[in-house]
Each structure stands twice: as structure tokens, then as C-alpha cells.
Amino acid sequence: IGSRLCALKMLLHLSKNKDISTKLARADCITTALARIASTMELAANILCVAIITNLTRHPDNASHLVFHAPDLLTILVAGTSDNSDQEICKCSLYALQNLSCTGSIRQELANAPDLLASITKNAFKTQFPEQQLSALHTLKNLSDDPFNLVTMTNTPGCTATLLALANDSKNGMAQFLACDTLATLSHWLLTLSAAKRCKEKSSLVAGIGGANGNNKGGGSDSDSGRRTFQTATWEMWC
């Protein structure tokens, strides 16, 4: 056990280096080993494994590789956010998912990962753990920035209800702000879809009625009333 902890602590130390982080993330032997042994050892070793994965997500260039080339790591992170997980493992897992959700090209992959949104939603409502709650809300906000996640998020049981409840809870200002920001983003995509449909229908109507006299101009575009912030929040991510 002692030698195993020493090896994991060495990897943890290396994962905190920005230049080395990219090499570790692309070393299949490292990511495969972490995916296999995480959650199978004593608590101290399991925490170190998840902490190493979390540090690897701090480098923006690692996100796509970790999700698409080491998908078992994503499974480990989702499992780490469950109700039965140790609080330190849960916190590290949430930070890792928050960092991954900042990369636009993998947001759909994350949103469609089994149990990810459901688990994140549960953590977003855990007011007794403020750090975990805010990290979960940041992840939901980041994922909502992709319009293709609109249906996935609204169809996730409890997701919209949780956001609405937090948006009306003034006890935690930051949680309330993030919930409102996420709802505004989802509303923005709904308004965009609605406006696009109305514009298409109006153009078809004008083309049919006004084509004879040359009055074939479409109406002006609807104003964007979705007041989202367009901000993406990370956890100690390197630039």
C-alpha cells in the first residue's frame, strides 16, 4: 500500500505541471491504469486517482483527448459524483467535469453521457456542500451554452425544477445567479428556435402573397431578449 501511494503521489505532483500534464493525458498506460484502479482501492488511493484526473482536466488541450480517447475516465468522474461517494472524491469529480464542460466541442458528448446530467443536477441542489453545489451549477451553465443540449437538459428529470427552485432562493446569491444565467441561456435557445420558425413562416407567406407585385421582403429579425452572460467558468484551468 505504501509504495502504491508513493507512485500515485508522484503522478499527482507531475499532473500539477502544465507542460507535463499534456504528456500524461496522452500516455495511454497512465489513463488506462487510472480508469482501472480508481474506486477499487483504499479511500486515500482512490482520492489520489481522481485528483490526478482532475489536474489533467486543467489543461484545455487535454479535454477532447480525455473524453474521446479515454472514455472510461468520464465514467469514473460520473460515478464519483454519486450520493455514495466520498465528499473529497465528489468535489474533485465535479471540478473535473466543470473544466471539461468549458470545451465546446465535447459538450454534447458530456450531456449525453449516462447519468451525468442527473448526477450533476442532484449535486446542484446540495446546499450543505456549497463548493460542490457551485461547481455543479457552473457545469450546467457551461453545458447549456450548446444549443443542441437544450432538449437533453430539459428532458433530464429535475434539471429545470432544480434551476427554478434555486433561481427563486435568495439565500445563496451566487447559486441564484448561476441558476438564473442557465435558465436565461436555455430560454435564449428556445427564443432563437421560435424566432427562426416564425421568420421562415413569414417569408413563405410573403413570398406567396407579395410575389406578384415584387414586395418580397421579409420582416426584420426579432430582438434577442435572452439576457445570458456568455461567461464560461473553470476550476483553476491553465490558459
Side-chain angles (χ1 to χ4, degrees):
I1 294 178
S3 59
R4 182 166 59 197
L5 288 176
C6 287
L8 288 172
K9 288 179 180 180
M10 179 194 68
L11 286 176
L12 179 65
H13 179 73
L14 292 174
S15 67
K16 295 179 181 179
N17 184 284
K18 180 179 179 180
D19 297 327
I20 298 177
S21 175
T22 54
K23 295 179 175 63
L24 287 178
R26 285 158 180 76
D28 292 338
C29 58
I30 298 295
T31 55
T32 301
L34 289 174
R36 286 181 178 177
I37 65 177
S39 74
T40 65
M41 304 174 292
E42 66 276 9
L43 180 59
N46 290 336
I47 292 176
L48 288 173
C49 284
V50 179
I52 293 168
I53 299 172
T54 302
N55 281 333
L56 295 181
T57 66
R58 294 174 60 193
H59 201 300
D61 293 342
N62 290 344
S64 295
H65 186 86
L66 291 174
V67 171
F68 291 115
H69 296 281
D72 289 341
L73 292 182
L74 184 58
T75 303
I76 294 297
L77 294 176
V78 174
T81 61
S82 65
D83 294 334
N84 298 326
S85 295
D86 173 78
Q87 293 306 314
E88 190 65 26
I89 290 178
C90 184
K91 183 168 64 174
C92 289
S93 298
L94 287 170
Y95 284 152
L97 292 173
Q98 178 183 345
N99 283 342
L100 292 175
S101 67
C102 294
T103 302
S105 60
I106 62 175
R107 283 174 180 155
Q108 292 180 51
E109 190 76 15
L110 293 175
N112 288 286
D115 300 324
L116 187 146
L117 275 176
S119 185
I120 293 295
T121 298
K122 289 181 181 179
N123 281 278
F125 208 63
K126 291 182 177 180
T127 56
Q128 68 272 32
F129 303 111
E131 291 183 351
Q132 298 175 24
Q133 181 190 32
L134 292 181
S135 181
L137 284 170
H138 278 302
T139 302
L140 289 177
K141 169 60 182 66
N142 293 340
L143 293 177
S144 72
D145 283 338
D146 191 316
F148 291 100
N149 287 340
L150 170 63
V151 175
T152 309
M153 294 185 68
T154 53
N155 284 343
T156 299
C159 184
T160 304
T162 296
L163 292 172
L164 287 171
L166 293 174
N168 287 283
D169 185 5
S170 58
K171 295 179 181 179
N172 188 332
M174 180 55 70
Q176 183 181 40
F177 169 77
L178 290 172
C180 290
D181 199 12
T182 305
L183 289 171
T185 303
L186 295 175
S187 298
H188 167 80
W189 299 131
L190 286 171
L191 288 169
T192 301
L193 291 172
S194 177
K197 183 177 181 181
R198 289 199 306 270
C199 183
K200 183 178 180 180
E201 292 175 348
K202 188 173 182 179
S203 298
S204 300
L205 181 63
V206 171
I209 297 177
N213 56 15
N215 186 17
N216 199 23
K217 297 181 180 179
S221 61
D222 293 275
S223 60
D224 179 11
S225 56
R227 300 176 181 177
R228 59 194 188 113
T229 63
F230 296 93
Q231 295 177 349
T232 300
T234 69
W235 178 79
E236 296 187 5
M237 185 176 279
W238 291 302
C239 299

